[in-house]
């Protein structure tokens, strides 16, 4: 709900954005500055409380308003600060006139309005009005710089069920001269000194070891996360997660910011002189230089802000709720995802039609529902050096064509899916020979290759049109149900024939959204999985288009489990795919038991990444059983409420509890620390169960459980105790929890 706080004459004094246990409060200071009053737990706000928001003077500060020396901008918590005034912290915006010097921006508040719906945002993703959770509400505040004529509009959207606040900024040139934008962040806000110490929960990583989570205490100065890769990157999604010291799954206050953007980004936190914190983020300013001619408009990417006062679990429940209700395409939001077998680690580039049909037949025999043909099916592709861009079947491997292969796969009872990397082109390809000027490159400089490939300039409509008709043609020709959309290189030496280097990188991302928007419109039933050399582009900007993401090429369960936990802080588990692969693992060489590989993968959107022909009869039977168990628990596992029970980092067992929204069913997945001697019995508290129910606990992996049923209150307070017994390393188990009412309890 958005509540304007009006003065006696009906003039705006502030706005209270309140939803889902969260308050976000804005105040107008001196009728001119948009000031951040509060973001956190819900609270009551009235006019006197806005008046209490003081901007105290500073000992060595500057009085920006000569008529009033009682305050200093450096202590004013502005919601979109600009530089060159008396606020000496990092600004949200910086711009100058292209001709004739660099006037200091100096905005003043002009007006406000409630929005009738979700605005169009210049081709950038915004949340959609989410179904059952109720429509988003919107507010815009206008500010203007009188000298340049630059108008700044701040957008706020409020999600009623989750309390998530979405912010973005729009710039319009109402002046007579062109303006160069050098920095235009999505948001900035100041948490007050009463917030106290904060830990930053950041990830770092690279290909095959994405998203290693590590909390650390923040101190003085500014700390910035980001990507200069043109894609959001393997090390971190564009997210900022802050929490009070000691925060765990069930306790502690936490704040999160997630950019709806897939290119170069920053998210920063800076300690203010008064001990408060300035949070901000958006487009990477070092890589942006955007000319805004008179009459033109520039939109920043949006950011989603979430708060929780009961630990990371509450925070990620809100983030998941928002991602499902407002970001995923409604068609996929609550749709069970098929169990697929992906051919990559089974065949790599070495296959023909017969071997693929054989593989698909084996996949069907194991219980898979979708067969995905990965890289190597097109042009002359026999390795990763050629043919990207030539999206027709490789005549040597698939002489009868894709449609014939897809038909044979469907005859086995499976849907057919395909890998594709549309943004890329190989120098050795018909497409490059025909259109060498379609690639991103810098005039007069050599093109740069990554994984032997170049990147197409998606800022150009003719390139997007070509790709759209090639992909739609494929989908229609072969009846494709699923695409794995890969992107295997960062952007370097980027220029475009239609835009300068300071614009080309952002225009590339806008082009990608435009292409994906057209594709999802043309093929609404197509399930698209995002991939970028594993998890190199996992961000909320792509969630409206990619209903699921490949998290990493590393499927070794001891690496994968913490990666999945880190991703699950922001991404709903049905959007993160996780595959049962072969042992030894193809990336780490580690030998692990089937149960560990399978139980860890079941915490995500489960699939297979192995060659069934290499399984022993006993292994194949175990995989068949696992798939059948997974399918019967799929709705719960993919759409239930997830609790991360493992300790992050080495040395802790990993466990995931998934509870149905009504608390009547749950699944527990557990994996021991690899190689721990003298394991003994395990005891795990199971937060999220209901104290008023009795739970019968069984396991497909351990016989003899199930009697007597255990009170939910005991599982919550004391925990579930079990003896894993001997088995392949690392030991891993699944448990089923089914509720029955406690005798005499009317809630039952
Ligand atoms: C990337 C992906 C892999 C696979 C290969 C194919 O690396 O992450 O899963 O699709 O490309 O070349």
């Amino acid at each position: 709900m958005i509540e304007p706080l009006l003065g006696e004459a009906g003039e705006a004094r502030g706005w209270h954005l309140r939803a889902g246990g969260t308050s976000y409060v804005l105040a107008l200071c001196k009728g001119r500055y948009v000031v951040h009053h509060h973001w956190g737990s819900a609270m009551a706000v009235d006019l006197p409380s806005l008046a209490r928001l003081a901007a105290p003077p500073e000992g060595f500060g500057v009085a920006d308003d000569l008529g009033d020396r009682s305050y200093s901008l450096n202590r004013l918590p502005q919601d979109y600060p600009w530089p060159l005034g008396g606020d000496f912290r990092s600004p949200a915006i910086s711009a100058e006139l292209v001709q004739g010097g660099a006037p200091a921006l100096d905005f003043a508040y002009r007006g406000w309005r409630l929005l009738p719906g979700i605005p169009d945002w210049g081709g950038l993703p915004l949340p959609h009005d989410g179904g059952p959770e109720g429509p988003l509400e919107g507010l815009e505040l206008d500010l203007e710089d009188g000298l340049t004529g630059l108008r700044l509009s701040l957008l706020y959207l409020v999600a009623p069920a989750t309390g998530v606040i979405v912010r973005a900024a729009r710039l319009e040139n109402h002046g007579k001269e062109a303006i160069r934008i050098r920095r235009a962040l999505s948001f900035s806000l100041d948490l007050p000194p009463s917030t106290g110490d904060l830990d930053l929960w950041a990830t770092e990583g690279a290909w095959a070891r994405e998203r290693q989570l590590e909390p650390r205490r923040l101190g003085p100065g500014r700390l910035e996360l980001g990507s200069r890769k043109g894609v959001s990157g393997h090390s971190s999604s564009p997210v900022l997660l802050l929490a009070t010291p000691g925060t765990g799954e069930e306790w502690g206050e936490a704040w999160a910011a997630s950019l709806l953007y897939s290119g170069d980004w920053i998210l920063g936190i800076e300690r203010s002189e008064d001990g408060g914190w300035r949070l901000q983020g958006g487009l990477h300013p070092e890589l942006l230089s955007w000319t805004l001619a008179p009459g033109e408009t520039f939109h920043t990417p949006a950011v989603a802000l979430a708060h929780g006062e009961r630990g990371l679990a509450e925070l990620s429940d809100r983030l998941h709720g928002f991602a499902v209700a407002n970001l995923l395409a409604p068609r996929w939001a609550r749709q069970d995802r098929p169990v697929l077998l992906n051919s990559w680690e089974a065949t790599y580039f070495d296959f023909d039609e017969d071997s693929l049909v054989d593989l698909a037949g084996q996949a069907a025999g194991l219980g898979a529902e979708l067969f995905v043909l990965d890289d190597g099916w097109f042009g002359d592709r026999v390795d990763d050096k050629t043919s990207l861009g030539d999206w027709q079947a490789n005549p040597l491997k698939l002489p009868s064509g894709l449609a014939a292969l897809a038909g044979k796969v469907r005859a086995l009872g499976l849907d057919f899916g395909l890998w594709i990397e549309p943004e890329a082109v190989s120098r050795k390809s018909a497409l490059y020979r025909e259109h060498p000027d379609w690639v991103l490159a810098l005039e007069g400089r050599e093109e740069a290759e990554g994984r032997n490939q170049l990147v197409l300039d998606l800022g150009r409509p003719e390139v997007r049109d070509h790709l759209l008709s090639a992909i739609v043609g494929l989908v229609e020709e072969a009846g494709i149900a699923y695409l794995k959309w890969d992107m295997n290189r960062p952007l370097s030496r980027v220029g475009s024939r239609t835009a300068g280097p300071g614009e080309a990188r952002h225009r590339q991302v806008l082009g990608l959204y435009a292409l994906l928007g057209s594709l999802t419109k043309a093929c609404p039933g197509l399930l698209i999985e995002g991939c970028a050399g594993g998890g190199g582009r996992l961000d909320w900007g792509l969630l409206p288009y990619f209903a699921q993401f490949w998290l990493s090429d590393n499927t070794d369960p001891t690496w994968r489990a913490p990666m999945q936990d880190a991703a699950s802080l922001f991404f709903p588990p049905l959007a993160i795919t996780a595959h049962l692969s072969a042992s030894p693992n193809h990336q780490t060489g580690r030998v692990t038991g089937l149960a560990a590989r399978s139980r860890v993968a079941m915490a995500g959107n489960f699939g297979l990444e192995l060659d069934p022909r290499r399984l022993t009869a006993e292994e194949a039977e175990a995989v068949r059983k696992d798939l059948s168990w997974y399918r019967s628990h799929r709705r719960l596992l993919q759409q239930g409420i997830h609790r991360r029970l493992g300790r992050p980092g080495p040395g802790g067992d990993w466990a995931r509890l998934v509870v149905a929204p009504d608390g009547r069913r749950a699944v527990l997945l557990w994996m021991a620390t690899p190689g721990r001697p003298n394991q003994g019995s395990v005891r795990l508290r199971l937060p999220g169960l209901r104290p008023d129910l009795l739970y019968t606990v069984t396991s497909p992996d351990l016989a003899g459980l199930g009697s007597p049923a255990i009170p939910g209150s005991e599982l919550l307070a004391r925990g579930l105790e079990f003896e894993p017994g001997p088995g392949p390393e690392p030991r891993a188990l699944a448990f089923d929890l089914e509720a029955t009412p406690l005798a005499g309890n009317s809630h039952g």
Side-chain angles (χ1 to χ4, degrees):
M1 169 183 171
I2 298 176
E3 188 190 341
L5 296 147
L6 305 177
E8 271 168 23
E11 80 285 8
R13 297 271 184 83
W15 299 266
H16 185 183
L17 284 50
R18 185 173 38 181
T22 298
S23 280
Y24 190 107
V25 187
L26 295 162
L28 261 188
C29 180
K30 306 198 165 296
R32 173 170 184 193
Y33 299 106
V34 175
V35 172
H36 182 80
H37 190 44
H38 172 75
W39 172 37
S41 301
M43 66 177 201
V45 186
D46 54 16
L47 286 182
S49 64
L50 291 188
R52 277 192 288 278
L53 178 72
E58 212 187 9
F60 193 64
V62 176
D64 277 69
D65 177 354
L66 291 181
D68 182 357
R69 293 177 183 275
S70 68
Y71 77 102
S72 161
L73 280 188
N74 205 38
R75 294 223 170 139
L76 196 65
Q78 290 192 74
D79 236 34
Y80 205 79
W82 50 90
L84 304 181
D87 183 340
F88 300 105
R89 297 162 288 181
S90 303
I93 180 168
S94 136
E96 67 208 15
L97 291 178
V98 172
Q99 306 286 333
L105 287 173
D106 208 2
F107 291 102
Y109 166 80
R110 289 280 187 263
W112 68 283
R113 70 194 145 268
L114 294 177
L115 300 179
I118 308 287
D120 174 64
W121 211 246
L124 284 161
L126 276 188
H128 56 78
D129 246 344
E133 279 78 9
L136 299 178
E137 291 181 56
L139 168 73
E140 268 187 6
L141 307 181
D142 292 333
L143 297 89
E144 195 160 296
D145 174 38
L147 199 58
T148 56
L150 187 60
R151 183 171 303 166
L152 163 67
S153 299
L154 302 178
L155 171 73
Y156 300 83
L157 299 171
V158 188
T162 53
V164 169
I165 310 286
V166 175
R167 289 192 52 183
R170 183 177 62 234
L171 294 165
E172 290 164 352
N173 185 348
H174 288 260
K176 294 197 168 57
E177 291 185 46
I179 296 172
R180 182 167 297 122
I181 301 168
R182 300 227 178 246
R183 181 183 182 94
L185 298 184
S186 302
F187 81 109
S188 177
L189 61 85
D190 296 314
L191 295 179
S194 55
T195 309
D197 282 343
L198 283 178
D199 287 347
L200 171 70
W201 289 63
T203 60
E204 63 181 7
W207 172 78
R209 52 184 168 79
E210 289 88 339
R211 290 178 180 73
Q212 307 296 305
L213 184 65
E214 198 186 305
R216 84 182 99 151
R217 185 68 36 85
L218 289 167
R222 179 178 170 88
L223 200 145
E224 213 165 79
L225 310 174
S227 166
R228 289 190 182 85
K229 294 184 168 174
V231 289
S232 45
H234 287 90
S235 55
S236 174
S237 294
V239 301
L240 187 71
L241 174 52
L242 300 164
T244 48
T247 290
E249 281 291 301
E250 304 294 321
W251 63 91
E253 187 172 8
W255 295 260
S258 180
L259 294 170
L260 278 64
Y261 193 61
S262 313
D264 308 306
W265 59 275
I266 59 158
L267 280 157
I269 175 150
E270 171 177 350
R271 198 154 83 185
S272 306
E273 288 179 9
D274 62 2
W277 303 98
R278 172 161 289 181
L279 278 48
Q280 47 182 215
L283 288 170
H284 202 305
E286 282 166 29
L287 297 163
L288 180 79
S289 173
W290 193 278
T291 302
L292 201 64
E296 284 185 347
T297 301
F298 181 83
H299 296 81
T300 75
V303 65
L305 305 169
H307 170 260
E309 56 194 11
R310 278 188 293 274
L312 300 178
E314 183 185 64
L315 183 77
S316 58
D317 285 351
R318 290 177 174 176
L319 292 162
H320 293 175
F322 177 75
V324 168
N326 301 103
L327 290 177
L328 278 169
R331 181 185 190 102
W332 297 111
R334 292 180 175 81
Q335 175 67 44
D336 292 347
R337 303 302 158 76
V339 174
L340 63 82
L341 181 137
N342 179 296
S343 68
W344 180 239
E345 292 197 356
T347 65
Y348 292 102
F349 292 105
D350 186 15
F351 54 79
D352 58 20
E353 184 183 299
D354 286 347
S355 63
L356 291 177
V357 173
D358 184 22
L359 190 59
Q362 301 271 341
L366 293 177
E369 297 155 326
L370 167 68
F371 175 74
V372 178
L373 172 54
D374 208 280
D375 197 352
W377 59 268
F378 49 91
D380 304 322
R381 187 93 158 166
V382 289
D383 55 27
D384 64 9
K385 296 191 176 56
T386 75
S387 304
L388 293 166
D390 298 345
W391 302 116
Q392 300 92 29
N394 181 321
L396 293 177
K397 295 183 191 180
L398 303 173
S400 320
L402 264 190
L405 171 65
K408 289 186 182 169
V409 169
R410 274 192 295 276
L412 295 164
L414 298 171
D415 276 331
F416 182 70
L418 199 62
W419 178 97
I420 189 166
E421 192 174 352
E423 295 152 79
V425 64
S426 308
R427 222 181 275 266
K428 281 192 204 153
S429 68
L431 184 68
Y432 184 74
R433 280 193 299 277
E434 217 174 301
H435 298 286
D437 62 320
W438 275 12
V439 301
L440 288 173
L442 277 180
E443 196 73 50
R445 308 252 176 218
E446 257 206 77
E447 294 157 353
E449 285 190 354
R451 206 196 186 199
N452 313 302
Q453 64 200 49
L454 304 162
V455 180
L456 292 171
D457 182 354
L458 299 191
R460 292 171 67 173
E462 64 273 32
V463 177
R464 295 198 298 270
D465 290 348
H466 166 82
L467 289 174
L468 182 66
S469 66
I471 302 168
V472 173
L474 271 179
V475 170
E476 284 173 356
E477 172 204 335
I480 290 168
Y482 158 109
L483 277 186
K484 176 174 170 186
W485 182 299
D486 209 341
M487 165 54 173
N488 272 301
R489 60 157 294 186
L491 303 189
S492 59
R493 289 194 198 154
V494 167
S496 162
R497 277 164 209 252
T498 54
E503 299 193 1
R505 301 173 72 95
H506 181 50
R507 288 193 190 277
Q508 180 73 3
V509 182
L510 290 172
L512 174 65
Y513 294 142
L515 174 59
L516 287 169
S518 310
L519 177 62
T520 46
K521 237 182 230 124
C523 308
L526 183 67
L527 172 62
I528 312 179
E529 175 163 337
C531 172
R537 194 168 58 183
L538 192 76
D539 55 67
W540 277 19
L542 286 167
L543 255 189
Y545 311 106
F546 295 164
Q548 54 193 50
F549 292 84
W550 182 226
L551 178 61
S552 174
D553 285 343
N554 187 343
T555 46
D556 174 333
T558 63
W559 278 93
R560 188 77 174 200
M563 281 186 211
Q564 287 178 191
D565 280 357
S568 79
L569 288 165
F570 283 81
F571 286 83
L574 95 161
I576 299 296
T577 52
H579 293 178
L580 165 56
S581 60
S583 174
N585 182 272
H586 288 208
Q587 266 63 49
T588 65
R590 193 197 307 259
V591 173
T592 52
L594 187 77
R597 283 175 272 141
S598 161
R599 300 301 170 253
V600 167
M602 284 176 180
N605 168 346
F606 183 87
L608 298 173
E609 185 96 19
L610 47 71
D611 188 345
R613 297 164 298 191
R614 297 200 190 129
L615 297 173
T616 64
E618 197 188 333
E619 286 170 333
E621 187 47 30
V623 173
R624 220 179 332 267
K625 273 202 186 128
D626 279 356
L627 254 66
S628 144
W629 190 86
Y630 180 78
R631 286 206 314 270
S632 64
H633 293 73
R634 161 168 39 198
R635 175 69 54 84
L636 172 62
L637 285 164
Q638 292 187 353
Q639 301 189 42
I641 297 159
H642 282 240
R643 290 286 171 266
R644 296 161 291 260
L645 306 186
R647 288 182 292 275
D653 289 351
W654 171 85
R656 185 71 74 82
L657 180 72
V658 188
V659 188
D662 66 2
R664 291 176 175 281
R665 280 183 76 203
V667 162
L668 173 66
L669 302 163
W670 168 85
M671 177 177 69
T673 305
R676 175 191 283 164
N678 195 13
Q679 170 76 56
S681 69
V682 177
R683 186 167 330 142
L684 285 170
R685 292 216 296 221
L686 303 182
L689 297 185
R690 275 172 51 177
D692 59 332
L693 297 177
L694 266 180
Y695 289 89
T696 303
V697 182
T698 55
S699 167
D701 305 314
L702 284 181
L705 291 173
S707 177
I710 308 171
S713 57
E714 179 183 329
L715 294 169
L716 282 161
R718 185 174 181 275
L720 173 71
E721 192 164 4
F722 58 88
E723 289 282 345
E729 273 287 307
R731 198 78 182 101
L733 302 167
F735 297 88
D736 261 309
L737 291 94
E738 288 277 351
T740 49
L742 277 172
N745 189 322
S746 58
H747 294 296

